[in-house]
């Protein structure tokens, strides 16, 4: 009986545990068994490996072949185990001899799906596996098709990566006959540049209050909901938020890329360094938004980590899907539990939502025309609960534009570049002061960092009594006031800042409800 072991990694949430691919050859009737909690794609690898070895002019060993993917309690999925299984079979059958004992597992990790002719095909989720390999000090051999994805790691980690396009090339490298090409680090961070015509805040006519609210939201990473009739500019404003946000740091960009690499869409190296903007359709389920499925994949809120989640036509979403957002909005993480595994994903996203005030969309419009009854309006707005609304920092009403707003003299306003510069200064002050954006302040830090003077405390107490603000709404107002002060480069919060923050709780202030026609 002969034995060999090769290293690889599985993917469980954002973890990539090391997997020891053990191959044992024994006498007996020809069988090929793979054990160690393999998924269907891994079990099918025995047919791909057999064909790849034969077409690469190797002899497929006779007898009993047992492949153990250790540890046995970690789920293994995908085609990434094809290459290590094939190399393990060749080592165990003495058809391949390593040029150095240092190449034994786990010093070098192998990844790749095999074509029937021995060709190496790219696999998903390698960015995460390679990052863990770099932390362990291991070398990595990957398919040529994954080279662009992993190149972003080379600047941040001291990682040795070799690329191959065929099984024979990997064998020649391990035997010392022909070294593989080593992937080189770029001279500078490969940050992407947004293509196409940039969306400028100056393109939005009028809507001065909404633009100001958008600036405050960008400066403090606050969530935002806009309420107004169709055509008022809610979607236009939301699409311009990304242009106001500071660029990602290299560490943040790698974090975003790692999450994208394990999603269904995979990681596109052309978008490295750009903040993610996710805009799911209103038919999306709770599992699509939060994450889930048999493989506990990340959902839209995790794919929007460090970026924006835009929910247009908010009240058209399923209520259960919206309610599932409550905990991640507060904690910044989401834990997905299934019978076989548990995965935790980061979810520090900035929620931007837009909704109509009533079913026809014309309630409160100065032009009139709304024919919805108070009962219909109440039922329509009941699709979003008060606890979820309280977790949204900014509520702003967006009114229909007037004819005068289209005059050339009234279109001038701050460009996205100018606003982004002020936002960057405000965020820099927040990170220097407390290490996080104002929206992420804990309750204890809120009381300390957002302390008010006597006038501000009196104004906030009066607003709480008049509008019935909850304790959570009070904390939101304090953080908003701190952000407004940061935008003005003020060390302390003034009563004027508190007053502006109170105006951004429009849905809390509508005490009369739909009957106030």
């Amino acid at each position: 009986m002969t034995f060999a072991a090769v290293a690889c990694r599985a993917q469980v949430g954002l973890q990539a545990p090391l997997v020891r691919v053990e191959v044992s050859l024994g006498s007996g009737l020809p069988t090929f068994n793979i054990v160690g909690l393999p998924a269907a794609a891994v079990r099918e690898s025995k047919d791909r490996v057999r064909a790849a070895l034969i077409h690469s002019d190797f002899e497929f060993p006779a007898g009993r072949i047992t492949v153990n993917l250790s540890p046995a309690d970690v789920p293994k999925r995908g085609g990434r185990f094809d290459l290590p299984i094939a190399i393990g079979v060749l080592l165990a059958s003495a058809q391949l001899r390593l040029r150095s004992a240092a190449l034994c597992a786990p010093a070098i990790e192998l990844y790749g799906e095999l074509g029937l002719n021995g060709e190496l095909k790219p696999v998903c989720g390698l960015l995460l596996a390679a990052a863990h390999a770099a932390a362990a000090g291991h070398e990595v051999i990957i398919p040529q098709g994954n080279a662009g994805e992993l190149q972003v790691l080379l600047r941040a980690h001291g990682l040795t990566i070799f690329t191959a396009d065929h099984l024979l090339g990997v064998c020649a490298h391990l035997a010392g006959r022909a070294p593989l090409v080593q992937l080189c680090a770029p001279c500078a961070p490969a940050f992407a540049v947004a293509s196409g015509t940039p969306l400028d805040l100056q393109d939005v006519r009028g809507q001065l209050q909404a633009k100001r609210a958008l600036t405050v939201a960008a400066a403090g990473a606050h969530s935002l909901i806009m309420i107004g009739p169709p055509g008022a500019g809610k979607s236009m404003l939301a699409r311009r938020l990304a242009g106001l946000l500071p660029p990602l740091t290299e560490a943040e960009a790698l974090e975003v890329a790692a999450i994208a690499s394990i999603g269904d869409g995979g990681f596109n190296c052309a978008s490295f360094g750009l903040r993610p903007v996710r805009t799911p359709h209103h038919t999306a389920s709770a599992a699509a938004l939060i994450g889930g499925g048999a493989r506990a994949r990340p959902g839209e809120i995790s794919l929007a980590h460090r970026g924006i989640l835009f929910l247009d036509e908010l009240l058209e979403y399923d209520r259960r899907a919206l309610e599932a957002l409550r905990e991640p909005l507060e904690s910044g993480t989401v834990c997905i539990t299934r019978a076989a595994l548990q995965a935790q994903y980061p979810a520090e996203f900035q929620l931007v939502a837009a909704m109509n005030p009533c079913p026809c969309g014309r309630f409160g419009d100065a032009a009139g025309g709304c024919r919805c009854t108070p009962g219909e309006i109440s039922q329509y707005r009941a699709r979003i609960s008060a606890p979820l609304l309280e977790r949204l920092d900014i509520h702003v009403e967006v009114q229909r534009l007037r004819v005068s707003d289209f005059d050339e003299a009234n279109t001038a306003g701050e460009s996205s570049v100018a606003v982004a510069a002020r936002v960057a200064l405000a965020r820099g002050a927040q990170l220097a002061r407390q290490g996080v954006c104002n929206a992420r302040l804990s309750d204890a830090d809120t009381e300390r960092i957002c302390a008010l003077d006597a006038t501000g405390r009196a104004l906030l107490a009066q607003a709480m009594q008049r509008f019935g603000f909850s304790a959570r709404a009070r904390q939101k107002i304090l953080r908003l006031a701190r952000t407004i002060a940061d935008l003005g480069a003020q060390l302390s919060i003034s009563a004027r800042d508190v007053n502006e923050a109170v105006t951004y709780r429009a849905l809390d202030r509508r005490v009369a409800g739909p009957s106030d026609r």
Side-chain angles (χ1 to χ4, degrees):
M1 180 177 292
T2 53
F3 173 84
V6 184
C8 190
R9 288 184 185 270
Q11 182 259 309
V12 181
L14 283 180
Q15 300 300 316
L18 187 68
V19 173
R20 183 179 169 91
V21 181
E22 302 172 338
V23 180
S24 173
L25 301 184
S27 59
L29 294 174
T31 59
F32 194 165
N33 296 317
I34 300 178
V35 298
L37 209 58
V42 182
R43 290 195 299 269
E44 293 170 351
S45 67
K46 57 187 178 183
D47 296 316
R48 296 191 294 270
V49 168
R50 177 186 285 108
L53 292 178
I54 293 174
H55 283 88
S56 299
D57 296 329
F58 290 107
E59 179 183 348
F60 190 77
R64 299 179 61 85
I65 303 175
T66 304
V67 177
N68 178 39
L69 305 178
S70 175
D73 58 344
V74 175
K76 289 87 176 178
R77 299 183 175 88
R80 65 173 63 188
F81 298 98
D82 288 5
L83 179 60
I85 290 174
I87 296 298
V89 170
L90 292 176
L91 289 173
S93 60
Q95 297 182 74
L96 173 65
R97 297 186 182 276
L98 300 178
R99 71 176 186 272
S100 170
L103 295 178
C104 295
I108 187 166
E109 300 178 15
L110 306 176
Y111 300 91
E113 179 183 335
L114 286 174
L116 298 184
N117 61 350
E119 177 189 4
L120 274 183
K121 300 181 179 180
V123 295
C124 296
L126 275 198
L127 188 66
L128 190 66
H132 283 73
H138 298 166
E139 295 182 3
V140 177
I141 295 179
I142 63 168
Q144 181 64 42
N146 289 112
E149 174 183 350
L150 296 195
Q151 202 169 26
V152 301
L153 276 175
L154 294 178
R155 278 183 54 85
H157 301 280
L159 181 61
T160 302
I161 301 177
F162 297 98
T163 60
D165 55 9
H166 199 277
L167 173 63
L168 290 174
V170 178
C171 294
H173 173 81
L174 295 177
R177 296 192 302 270
L180 292 171
V181 176
Q182 183 174 348
L183 197 61
C184 297
C187 297
F191 283 171
V193 178
S195 59
T197 303
L199 300 177
D200 200 299
L201 205 57
Q202 284 184 324
D203 299 335
V204 182
R205 309 294 180 95
Q207 305 298 2
L208 297 181
Q209 184 188 22
K211 289 180 181 179
R212 171 65 176 174
L214 200 68
T215 303
V216 174
H222 298 287
S223 53
L224 168 70
I225 181 170
M226 293 176 282
I227 311 98
K234 303 186 295 295
S235 299
M236 284 187 68
L237 286 163
R239 285 196 291 266
R240 281 152 178 80
L241 177 60
L244 308 182
L245 300 178
L248 292 170
T249 65
E250 190 167 0
E252 291 173 339
L254 287 172
E255 185 181 16
V256 169
I259 298 173
S261 71
I262 61 175
D264 289 333
F267 167 62
N268 180 9
C269 57
S271 64
F272 181 71
L274 297 179
R275 288 190 182 272
V277 179
R278 307 292 299 187
T279 56
H281 193 261
H282 64 259
T283 56
S285 65
L289 289 179
I290 304 302
R295 302 171 63 178
R297 287 289 184 89
E300 293 291 338
I301 63 172
S302 296
L303 295 173
H305 180 61
R306 305 287 185 190
I308 299 168
L309 177 66
F310 176 43
L311 303 183
D312 202 2
E313 302 295 343
L314 181 69
L315 299 188
E316 299 301 324
Y317 285 81
D318 181 72
R319 182 185 172 104
R320 289 173 298 178
L322 293 180
E323 293 304 304
L325 297 175
R326 285 159 57 175
E327 291 83 0
L329 274 172
E330 292 287 304
S331 65
T333 60
V334 59
C335 184
I336 302 171
T337 303
R338 294 294 179 266
L341 58 92
Q342 183 181 73
Q344 183 168 325
Y345 297 108
E348 290 188 16
F349 61 98
Q350 193 168 353
L351 177 61
V352 181
M355 59 174 275
N356 294 329
C358 67
C360 76
R362 297 185 180 277
F363 174 70
D365 190 354
C370 177
R371 300 186 181 279
C372 302
T373 65
E376 290 173 337
I377 297 175
S378 296
Q379 185 176 10
Y380 181 72
R381 293 189 179 180
R383 296 180 185 178
I384 180 172
S385 66
L388 178 57
L389 277 178
E390 279 193 344
R391 285 171 167 81
L392 302 181
D393 299 337
I394 300 176
H395 314 159
V396 60
E397 293 180 313
V398 182
Q399 299 297 333
R400 188 182 296 275
L401 294 174
R402 300 166 298 182
V403 176
S404 59
D405 290 326
F406 292 92
D407 295 339
E408 291 295 331
N410 293 332
T411 59
E414 281 190 298
S415 66
S416 290
V417 174
V419 174
R422 293 196 293 115
V423 167
L425 291 175
R427 282 220 180 179
Q430 295 165 35
L431 295 178
R433 183 178 59 232
Q434 69 245 5
V436 295
C437 293
N438 289 334
R440 292 293 172 188
L441 284 172
S442 65
D443 289 334
D445 288 338
T446 299
E447 295 296 333
R448 177 176 56 86
I449 295 172
C450 306
L452 305 177
D453 57 18
T455 306
R457 289 196 300 270
L459 180 59
L460 181 56
Q462 182 182 3
M464 290 188 65
Q465 184 174 7
R466 179 179 178 184
F467 301 116
F469 290 146
S470 67
R472 179 182 283 118
R474 176 184 180 275
Q475 299 296 85
K476 300 288 187 186
I477 292 172
L478 287 174
R479 294 166 191 156
L480 285 172
R482 179 66 266 177
T483 300
I484 295 167
D486 289 336
L487 279 170
Q490 302 171 14
L491 295 178
S492 59
I493 302 173
S494 66
R496 185 175 181 177
D497 300 329
V498 176
N499 184 65
E500 182 180 352
V502 170
T503 65
Y504 293 142
R505 303 294 298 183
L507 292 179
D508 287 339
R509 291 186 289 106
R510 295 184 65 88
V511 292
S515 59
D516 60 345
R517 286 179 175 268

